[in-house]
Amino acid sequence: MLIDLPISELSEKLRSKTVTSVDIISECYDQIEAHESKLNSFITLVDRETAIAKAKAIDETIATHASPLAGIPYVMKDAYLTRGVRTTAASKILDSFIPPYSATVHRKLEEAGAILIGKMNMDAWGHGASTENTDYGPTKNPWDQERSAGGSGGGPAAAIAARFCSFGIGEDTGGSIRNPAAWNNISAMKVTYGRVSRYGAIAYASSLDTMGPTAKTAQDCAYVLETIAGVDPYDATSSPKPVPPYTKEIGASSKGKKIALPSEFFGDALDPEIKAAIMEAREVFESAGAEVTEVSLPLLEYGVPVYYILAPSETSSNLSRYDGVRYGGKRSLFTKENKRRIMTGTYALSSGYYDAYYKKAQKVRSLFISEYTKLLSQYDAILSPVTPIMPSKFGELLDDPMKNMMADLYTVTVNIVGLPSLSLPCGFGKTNLPIGMQLVGNMFSESTLFALGHTYQQKTDWHTRQPTLVSSK
Amino acid sequence: MTGSTDTSSNMTKSDPLTTNDIDKIARLANLPLNEAQARELTEQVGVTVSYVSELQTLATDNVTETSQVTGMENVLREDEIDTTRMFSQEEALSNAKRTHNGFFVVDRVLEEK
């Protein structure tokens, strides 16, 4: 399949006219027609004729496009405003919302000539780790359709695994890019806070939200990030730091790189199959000349409590704007999980409890920053699992707030501190379910993480494996 | 608020929240809840609140709060109109369910005497 090829190769073929964008887009729509009914990854599918027309226009002007993403099909989590294309955040509140403007990320991709084919399923407003808390039916895991595709960005991740598109744009507040990446056997970069503009992304928790690429490989993610990163006058929290040439720096050697392995991530909560896969990954990094050292990150267990104060507090404030007056429907349409988080956050911010909860969590946030800063002053990256559990069966996380929260155990601390984290496929369990690992680095060290990930993917083939669904007709 | 760290989902005895608390929070959050939803949320929000209270065991006496991680302060711009970001009245109203003569229609908040 064309869509199996890396973005760099597809781009070269488009330029040499050995392949057309129409070929690629047609293949994607054939694949969607064959398999989407089994997965439910889309909320809104751009109609085939519109996408083909765009592809034709790109094919005719390919020589004038500087971006390697020209003519390449992509999807977005339905949390991004796309002018003229319905945007729901997977909530019936926005069921008929047609954005009058576009997110900066979407604008940049359109300018690059990339072709949007769909807006993808997610937990409504980003609340969840399984794409079950959606008003559009759960997204099924391409590797086992009785299981969740992860969340909150299960839709874009499943679509990449199912070869419906080349790359996706996710949004990560507590693991929403990385968790589905791990459960679908794809690669994904949760960027440093501020690396990519949040303008036009529907806010979950503003101090934690980050926008990032998901794709089959670290290298593909690097191509996408190069395009979408950078300062944006419309987002005052976007960083003015220059965007490094990620795709040029990705070839950097891993020799002598120092990787930390914090023991707290390998406790009783961790599934033994995931543990075994991470230990194998450790050996791969060592064989590439990296030095892996066991360390301690004692605060880890406090990450989920901090997150489940800060994120609900911020979301209770952000979602207060949905009053059904200027756009959207009534507040009674929020899902159970939405209501849980809005209520928890409102409680934590309410008079008499603010100091004990919100302020306390903000202080512990400072402790996390100190602990990570100290560790990352001595190491280039921290290696850990993405999730403590294998892809969950439907219903397992739903309606159990504790289980739902613990699915985020390994991912949330990164958002609290603002660090980048690259999620990569690193193996399979006995029942052929994918396992993911993450490499966490210093603020704005995406380039280092991409290089480590690229080294790993040249030495392993996990990322090339496809669910049987893809090849079946 | 108790310092309970019981994290079982079936917690009933040590629920830190009452239905009265939930009613009050629901009013603050402008969330319409029926009785069954309020009962369920009393238990479930209670579980979360008990669990996050674990933080009380950490010493943070001389720690300053972090509200954002960019390290940037006072990001300013020129006070100029950006016409590329302006909506026409029609665009601004395009997603409203109720409009009247080019305005949003809102529910009455003042009572007539």
Side-chain angles (χ1 to χ4, degrees):
Chain A
M1 287 171 78
L2 290 171
I3 211 70
D4 283 329
L5 298 174
I7 288 174
S8 57
E9 218 175 309
L10 275 182
S11 178
E12 274 167 32
K13 286 188 188 298
L14 286 172
R15 268 149 231 284
S16 64
K17 299 196 185 260
T18 46
V19 161
T20 65
S21 178
V22 171
D23 296 336
I24 304 171
I25 300 289
S26 303
E27 188 185 84
C28 290
Y29 277 87
D30 290 346
Q31 191 72 0
I32 291 165
E33 266 167 35
H35 303 299
E36 167 62 6
S37 62
K38 288 168 247 168
L39 299 180
N40 193 37
S41 67
F42 285 84
I43 289 178
T44 304
L45 175 65
V46 172
D47 67 85
R48 192 176 184 132
E49 293 68 31
T50 305
I52 293 282
K54 276 193 182 174
K56 269 191 185 141
I58 296 287
D59 284 332
E60 282 160 18
T61 55
I62 189 72
T64 67
H65 291 274
S67 170
L69 301 184
I72 307 289
Y74 76 103
V75 298
M76 296 186 102
K77 185 178 177 181
D78 209 15
Y80 288 86
L81 302 194
T82 44
R83 189 165 193 263
V85 180
R86 181 172 76 139
T87 301
T88 68
S91 170
K92 285 289 177 198
I93 289 178
L94 294 181
D95 191 46
S96 56
F97 179 66
I98 309 290
Y101 70 101
S102 282
T104 296
V105 170
H106 180 238
R107 180 183 55 77
K108 285 186 167 184
L109 289 170
E110 292 296 298
E111 283 168 9
I115 297 170
L116 179 73
I117 62 169
K119 303 294 297 294
M120 312 309 286
N121 207 352
M122 57 187 278
D123 290 294
W125 310 102
H127 296 174
S130 64
T131 315
E132 288 172 283
N133 303 301
T134 156
D135 285 333
Y136 296 86
T139 296
K140 292 161 189 166
N141 193 309
W143 294 87
D144 177 352
Q145 282 103 73
E146 286 177 12
R147 290 174 190 271
S148 152
S152 64
I160 292 161
R163 305 300 190 257
F164 293 165
C165 58
S166 241
F167 69 92
I169 302 294
E171 184 277 339
D172 194 310
T173 303
S176 291
I177 283 179
R178 290 162 286 157
N179 161 312
W183 285 6
N184 287 278
N185 201 48
I186 63 165
S187 307
M189 176 64 92
K190 180 267 171 217
V191 298
T192 306
Y193 184 84
R195 179 71 294 179
V196 177
S197 168
R198 293 182 295 116
Y199 179 70
I202 295 173
Y204 166 11
S206 306
S207 83
L208 308 168
D209 291 347
T210 53
M211 317 297 133
T214 57
K216 292 184 292 295
T217 63
Q219 191 182 34
D220 279 2
C221 288
Y223 275 102
V224 179
L225 187 57
E226 231 164 55
T227 308
I228 64 173
V231 69
D232 178 8
Y234 297 166
D235 174 5
T237 62
S238 64
S239 172
K241 279 185 202 297
V243 179
Y246 299 119
T247 53
K248 291 202 175 68
E249 296 178 1
I250 202 165
S253 165
S254 297
K255 211 166 183 184
K257 291 285 178 204
K258 294 172 91 174
I259 298 175
L261 198 70
S263 55
E264 287 78 6
F265 284 82
F266 299 89
D268 293 342
L270 181 61
D271 186 295
E273 286 192 321
I274 301 177
K275 186 177 179 177
I278 305 292
M279 290 308 158
E280 266 185 54
R282 170 194 182 148
E283 287 172 22
V284 175
F285 284 114
E286 284 172 337
S287 74
E291 192 185 303
V292 184
T293 313
E294 281 173 42
V295 299
S296 181
L297 194 77
L299 274 181
L300 179 71
E301 63 174 303
Y302 296 100
V304 175
V306 171
Y307 177 79
Y308 276 95
I309 292 172
L310 295 182
S313 295
E314 292 185 21
T315 209
S316 73
S317 170
N318 280 327
L319 296 184
S320 66
R321 74 181 62 140
Y322 296 94
D323 56 6
V325 173
R326 291 161 302 149
Y327 51 85
K330 293 197 168 89
R331 292 177 73 75
S332 55
L333 292 169
F334 280 120
T335 68
K336 272 189 187 181
E337 182 64 27
N338 300 150
K339 286 177 182 157
R340 277 202 285 269
R341 294 194 193 198
I342 292 170
M343 293 290 283
T344 306
T346 305
Y347 179 76
L349 291 175
S350 65
S351 170
Y353 297 100
Y354 180 87
D355 282 1
Y357 293 101
Y358 191 67
K359 200 169 171 185
K360 181 77 181 183
Q362 285 191 309
K363 286 185 172 191
V364 181
R365 186 174 194 177
S366 304
L367 298 181
F368 267 102
I369 293 171
S370 311
E371 193 159 296
Y372 268 101
T373 307
K374 202 172 138 203
L375 192 56
L376 286 165
S377 67
Q378 301 162 61
Y379 295 92
D380 296 294
I382 300 167
L383 171 64
S384 83
V386 174
T387 58
I389 52 172
M390 299 296 279
S392 61
K393 286 208 161 170
F394 289 112
E396 275 179 356
L397 297 181
L398 210 61
D399 283 332
D400 188 336
M402 268 316 291
K403 263 196 166 173
N404 208 352
M405 287 191 283
M406 295 321 281
D408 300 334
L409 177 64
Y410 299 146
T411 47
V412 291
T413 55
V414 170
N415 299 75
I416 292 167
V417 182
L419 303 169
S421 169
L422 179 65
S423 175
L424 301 164
C426 70
F428 285 84
K430 282 187 218 74
T431 53
N432 203 34
L433 291 170
I435 297 171
M437 64 173 171
Q438 60 179 334
L439 289 163
V440 174
N442 263 308
M443 297 292 271
F444 299 100
S445 71
E446 282 84 356
S447 209
T448 307
L449 301 181
F450 277 138
L452 281 168
H454 188 57
T455 300
Y456 179 82
Q457 292 188 325
Q458 288 187 315
K459 287 179 153 285
T460 57
D461 68 355
W462 307 117
H463 59 285
T464 65
R465 302 209 187 172
Q466 301 176 352
T468 47
L469 168 138
V470 171
S471 41
S472 70
K473 283 292 164 198
Chain B
M1 182 58 228
T2 67
S4 166
T5 51
D6 180 0
T7 53
S8 110
S9 303
N10 302 316
M11 198 170 67
T12 47
K13 279 180 197 156
S14 54
D15 273 356
L17 298 182
T18 64
T19 43
N20 279 346
D21 292 329
I22 289 293
D23 288 344
K24 185 190 160 200
I25 303 164
R27 268 199 314 280
L28 290 173
N30 188 21
L31 272 187
L33 300 178
N34 62 36
E35 218 172 290
Q37 287 170 328
R39 252 202 321 275
E40 194 177 31
L41 280 167
T42 305
E43 188 208 313
Q44 293 182 338
V45 175
V47 169
T48 308
V49 167
S50 291
Y51 172 61
V52 300
S53 296
E54 261 184 44
L55 290 189
Q56 309 307 335
T57 61
L58 278 174
T60 52
D61 288 348
N62 297 311
V63 181
T64 345
E65 305 95 80
T66 297
S67 56
Q68 56 103 346
V69 296
T70 65
M72 297 189 290
E73 281 177 39
N74 297 333
V75 178
L76 304 172
R77 63 166 173 80
E78 291 305 313
D79 186 15
E80 287 167 348
I81 294 170
D82 177 354
T83 52
T84 59
R85 275 179 104 184
M86 283 166 63
F87 287 156
S88 64
Q89 191 172 20
E90 197 186 326
E91 282 171 323
L93 291 167
S94 62
N95 281 287
K97 294 220 164 39
R98 292 185 298 164
T99 60
H100 179 70
N101 289 344
F103 290 93
F104 296 111
V105 176
V106 298
D107 289 331
R108 182 193 294 271
V109 288
L110 299 171
E111 298 290 335
E112 276 180 59
K113 264 211 160 175

